[in-house]
């Protein structure tokens, strides 16, 4: 991580947790100790967003795990950025590989969602990443640049401070396989260069690019040492007390 970019950790709870289990997570996060120089955001299922926002310390952000591309209407089962803001949450995760690959969300739809969420005043964690067969075919850059372009084209210049990009190689999510710090840094460096070439040098330098894909208490510090890795987006490990070590990985 470069010193000018604040270390960022997202805990994506996915479709996990009930009130009892969430209370336990809130308890260990509140007890900490958490690195005061790191930014922490928890991604919560929609039915618990209000509950978690009320119970977590204000210093910890709360994110929805998805939202739709318009403010309201006949879209059964969806939630809007306005609803997320109304209960006090500040963030949304968009384009996670599970949304792309389980629910069939397209690059174009994810771009539209990012645009609307930013316009409504939310901060956004857009996710990109290649599948195993794409990496093995040498298509990593082609895939992630295409995904990134669909998002970047929809981000107004004055909204970049509200964007944290997550690179999550799909083959490393929940599989126990992790991109080595060097593999992750290689892609992060290329993503940052793409931003410099296609947006601006300033945006490339200030935008945080975080890594997701089987991040654990054991490997988080090595990942955090890489110059273009500005934090992590953590799945299952964010449900366990060891998550504190991941939040504190840059100390």
């Amino acid at each position: 991580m470069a010193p000018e970019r604040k270390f960022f950790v997202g805990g994506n709870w996915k479709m996990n947790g009930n009130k009892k289990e969430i209370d336990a997570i809130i308890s260990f996060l509140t007890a900490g100790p958490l690195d005061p120089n790191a930014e922490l955001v928890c991604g919560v299922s929609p039915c618990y967003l209000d509950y978690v926002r009320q119970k977590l310390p204000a210093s910890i952000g709360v994110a929805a795990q998805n939202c739709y591309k318009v403010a309201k209407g006949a879209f059964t089962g969806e939630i809007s950025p306005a609803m997320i803001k109304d209960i006090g949450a500040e963030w949304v995760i968009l384009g996670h590989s599970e949304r792309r690959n389980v629910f069939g969300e397209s690059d174009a739809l994810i771009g539209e969602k990012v645009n609307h969420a930013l316009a409504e005043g939310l901060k956004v964690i857009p996710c990109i990443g290649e599948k195993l067969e794409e990496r093995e075919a040498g298509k990593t850059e082609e895939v992630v640049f295409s995904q990134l372009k669909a998002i970047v084209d929809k981000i107004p210049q004055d909204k970049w401070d509200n964007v944290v990009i997550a690179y999550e190689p799909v083959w490393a999510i929940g599989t126990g396989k992790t991109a080595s710090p060097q593999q992750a840094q290689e892609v992060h460096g290329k993503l940052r260069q793409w931003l410099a070439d296609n947006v601006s040098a300033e945006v490339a330098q200030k935008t945080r690019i975080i890594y997701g894909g089987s991040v654990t208490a054991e490997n988080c510090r090595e990942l955090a040492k890489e110059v273009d890795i500005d934090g992590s987006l953590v799945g299952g490990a964010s449900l366990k007390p060891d998550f504190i070590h991941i939040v504190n990985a840059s100390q």
Side-chain angles (χ1 to χ4, degrees), residues 90-181:
E90 312 89 353
W91 288 86
V92 64
I93 300 167
L94 289 171
H96 191 278
S97 66
E98 288 149 15
R99 299 303 313 172
R100 294 175 183 271
N101 300 314
V102 178
F103 297 99
E105 293 189 5
S106 66
D107 290 353
L109 174 60
I110 292 159
E112 290 178 300
K113 288 183 173 190
V114 169
N115 179 266
H116 180 61
L118 289 169
E120 290 285 295
L122 284 181
K123 299 175 184 178
V124 179
I125 306 167
C127 304
I128 59 175
E130 81 282 11
K131 300 178 197 172
L132 181 60
E133 59 266 30
E134 292 165 338
R135 171 168 278 267
E136 290 178 340
K139 292 183 176 179
T140 293
E141 288 178 44
E142 177 187 337
V143 170
V144 297
F145 290 168
S146 176
Q147 292 172 340
L148 185 58
K149 185 178 189 308
I151 291 163
V152 166
D153 285 349
K154 297 291 187 178
I155 299 176
Q157 278 297 315
D158 63 346
K159 294 292 187 181
W160 274 100
D161 286 344
N162 291 338
V163 176
V164 174
I165 296 168
Y167 167 62
E168 296 196 300
V170 180
W171 50 271
I173 297 173
T175 61
K177 295 179 181 177
T178 312
S180 69

Side-chain angles (χ1 to χ4, degrees), residues 236-249:
S238 68
L239 306 170
K240 303 168 186 174
D242 269 358
F243 182 52
I244 298 294
H245 298 299
I246 300 175
V247 177
N248 296 339

